[in-house]
Amino acid sequence: MTLAEILKLAPVVPVLIIEEEAHAVPLAKALVAGGLYALEVTLRTPVALDCVRRIAGEVPEAVVGVGTVTTAAARQAAADNGARFGVSPGLIEGEGADGPLPLLPGIATATELMWGLRAGFTHFKLFPANIVGGVGALKAFASPFPQATFCPTGGVDLNNAPDYLVQPNVICVGGSWVAPRDAVQSGDWGRITALARAASRLGKTPVAVV
Ligand code: 3PG
């Protein structure tokens, strides 16, 4: 699947911090049951790549990706462990759109966006979305950079996600709110499915042409 196809699977990409490998499969199943299919497992715990392998092998409905990819080596490791896409908080020196797996790089400024476009990327994580201008930044980027599409992430939740999703240059949003730490730790998969279901129903709202 292309990055665009993956990002279109649902309006929200869950950002996951998984501390125990045993949580990976039930968490992925809970999210898929709620209608979220592209899952970002962040490289913030020692078991992250083990979790990616488990999800890739045991939850075929999920399209598992790796987040917090900050080096070329991490991108390669993500691919080697079964990830279908990678997400980075920023641009990685020397890494372009072509590589071992599709990558969604983070940008926060016009200059970074220009560097990313030059490296062949067309889809970007606006990060941290709520801090670097949010919806206003996306509107400002739309005219000079019509070829850029965004997945705003960072401070996005069920309440403000609709404001982002209505923007024509937004393909989806990312966020950790669908998998709260306490729910993962206590194995409250029903709560996570409910959060995922609410997120998956957000949808993209067509914008009226005036
Ligand atoms: C992250 O990389 O941590 C994401 O931006 C998630 O941000 P959030 O916790 O504000 O959803």
Side-chain angles (χ1 to χ4, degrees), residues 7-157:
L7 297 178
K8 271 189 215 157
L9 287 171
V12 179
V13 175
V15 176
L16 308 174
I17 298 171
I18 313 178
E19 284 164 22
E20 292 179 43
E21 187 183 331
H23 291 154
V25 167
L27 172 59
K29 285 184 174 169
L31 291 163
V32 164
L36 301 182
Y37 303 100
L39 313 180
E40 176 189 337
V41 178
T42 57
L43 288 177
R44 298 182 201 172
T45 66
V47 296
L49 288 174
D50 300 315
C51 294
V52 169
R53 272 200 313 280
R54 292 284 301 271
I55 295 169
E58 298 176 44
V59 192
E61 307 91 333
V63 176
V64 65
V66 168
T68 325
V69 173
T70 57
T71 63
R75 185 183 189 185
Q76 183 64 55
D80 293 345
N81 283 277
R84 313 266 295 274
F85 66 102
V87 182
S88 178
L91 298 167
I92 303 171
E93 192 177 356
E95 291 296 292
D98 294 332
L101 86 168
L103 184 66
L104 180 73
I107 65 95
T109 67
T111 301
E112 292 164 2
L113 188 46
M114 287 159 60
W115 279 73
L117 289 166
R118 210 164 72 193
F121 296 106
T122 53
H123 291 74
F124 299 90
K125 164 176 171 165
L126 179 72
F127 179 77
N130 277 14
I131 306 296
V132 299
V135 167
L138 292 161
K139 285 183 175 166
F141 286 150
S143 180
F145 303 111
Q147 68 277 55
T149 302
F150 297 92
C151 171
T153 307
V156 181
D157 59 25

